[in-house]
Amino acid sequence: MTSTIRIDLQGQVATVMLNRPEVRNAFNDEVIAELSETFARLGEEPAVRAVVLMAEGPAFCAGADLNWMRRMADYTREENLADAGRLAFMLRAIYECPKPTIARVQGDVYAGGMGLVAACDMAVSVDTAHYCLSEVKIGLVPATISPYVIRAMGPRAAHRYFLTAERFSAAEALRIGLVHAVVPADRLDAQVGEWVAALTSASPNAVRECKKLVQDVAGRDITRLLIDRTVEGIADIRASDEGKEGVQAFLGKRKPNWLSS
């Protein structure tokens, strides 16, 4: 592992830190590859119950690294397809990570960095952070990050901020749903801790299945097929070991075995 990211394991929580403060944690092909591998690996690690994505320095992520952008300027369409495909794979690795993910945003987020925040399940922002989808200012569009950002902020807000490239505040990020909480800097870790405590007190299997449930149901038409899938989902988890244990523990007024083990 190189110095572009740092990984820390404390108990059931893995912290992934962007570690390029000298370039405002902008990402390049190396960072993309490392984040892809890291989230895939942590997603399969039995001891890990939650993953926190954070950053070193004053900015969370400024999007694409300038040196990387200079190289891309001379790419052919085929090279651009391959390059964008790697970025898309990284975002999907974060979004589909089987473990719940939390973005701890301690500073400004620009362009592609918005995709990192939106791909996480939860996000808490420092109240002084600013956000910007700046791509149109340089003749580009936020295409690769758009599935995640539009899901997070909604199409109406996306129409405005994709097209105008306006910078907006943490309070506005909260209002439109991009982040779930806005706190002073000295409360960031406390908020993350509260979410981690909630996640690690719940059934590991139920948390994993709930994450998949939201991804499968969000934005879908309520069809007979969707209803049938949700019926199967509750039937399957009721019959699972953790489902049975959780209900029996609740009825018996005792702690379930995932808390006592």
Side-chain angles (χ1 to χ4, degrees):
M1 186 64 64
T2 71
S3 60
T4 63
I5 65 173
R6 294 209 318 263
I7 303 168
D8 181 49
L9 295 174
Q10 294 287 338
Q12 298 174 311
V13 182
T15 299
V16 179
M17 179 178 287
L18 303 174
N19 190 36
R20 304 180 78 218
E22 70 282 359
V23 291
R24 296 174 62 81
N25 294 306
F27 51 74
N28 56 16
D29 42 8
E30 185 179 10
V31 176
I32 288 169
E34 289 189 4
L35 284 175
S36 299
E37 187 276 333
T38 296
F39 275 86
R41 177 166 51 84
L42 292 175
E44 299 304 318
E45 179 58 53
V48 173
R49 295 284 306 279
V51 182
V52 178
L53 178 62
M54 59 185 295
E56 184 69 53
F60 180 79
C61 181
D65 179 270
L66 290 178
N67 289 325
W68 185 43
M69 290 181 69
R70 289 188 185 100
R71 294 203 308 273
M72 286 189 291
D74 296 322
Y75 279 2
T76 65
R77 186 175 188 277
E78 289 70 27
E79 288 172 325
N80 273 305
L81 283 172
D83 190 75
R86 288 187 285 270
L87 176 60
F89 183 85
M90 177 196 74
L91 292 168
R92 187 171 180 179
I94 297 172
Y95 182 71
E96 294 187 350
C97 178
K99 307 301 168 65
T101 53
I102 300 171
R104 177 192 181 276
V105 182
Q106 91 297 353
D108 291 351
V109 186
Y110 278 70
M114 296 278 285
L116 295 177
V117 175
C120 289
D121 298 309
M122 287 158 272
V124 55
S125 173
V126 69
D127 53 8
T128 55
H130 286 89
Y131 297 78
C132 185
L133 290 146
S134 56
E135 286 84 351
V136 294
K137 288 185 176 181
I138 59 170
L140 301 178
V141 297
T144 313
I145 66 173
S146 63
Y148 310 98
V149 176
I150 293 173
R151 274 201 176 202
M153 67 164 54
R156 191 63 176 163
H159 272 287
R160 174 179 176 179
Y161 291 114
F162 278 32
L163 274 58
T164 66
E166 293 171 89
R167 193 172 76 143
F168 57 93
S169 67
E172 175 69 353
L174 177 65
R175 187 188 72 81
I176 63 179
L178 179 65
V179 303
H180 298 89
V182 172
V183 298
D186 61 3
R187 280 281 304 161
L188 268 177
D189 289 331
Q191 181 61 71
V192 171
E194 289 176 16
W195 287 345
V196 165
L199 292 168
T200 55
S201 68
S203 155
N205 184 55
V207 169
R208 182 169 55 250
E209 292 302 317
C210 269
K211 177 168 180 172
K212 289 173 57 181
L213 177 67
V214 174
Q215 293 171 345
D216 290 344
V217 173
R220 301 286 176 85
D221 291 335
I222 303 177
T223 63
R224 185 73 235 178
L225 177 62
L226 181 63
I227 292 171
D228 288 345
R229 288 180 64 181
T230 62
V231 168
E232 291 174 4
I234 189 62
D236 289 343
I237 205 156
R238 283 177 181 171
S240 70
D241 290 342
E242 283 189 16
K244 291 178 179 178
E245 166 63 15
V247 172
Q248 290 169 0
F250 175 74
L251 294 175
K253 298 182 178 180
R254 61 174 174 82
K255 290 183 179 181
N257 58 17
W258 58 80
L259 289 180
S260 57
S261 60

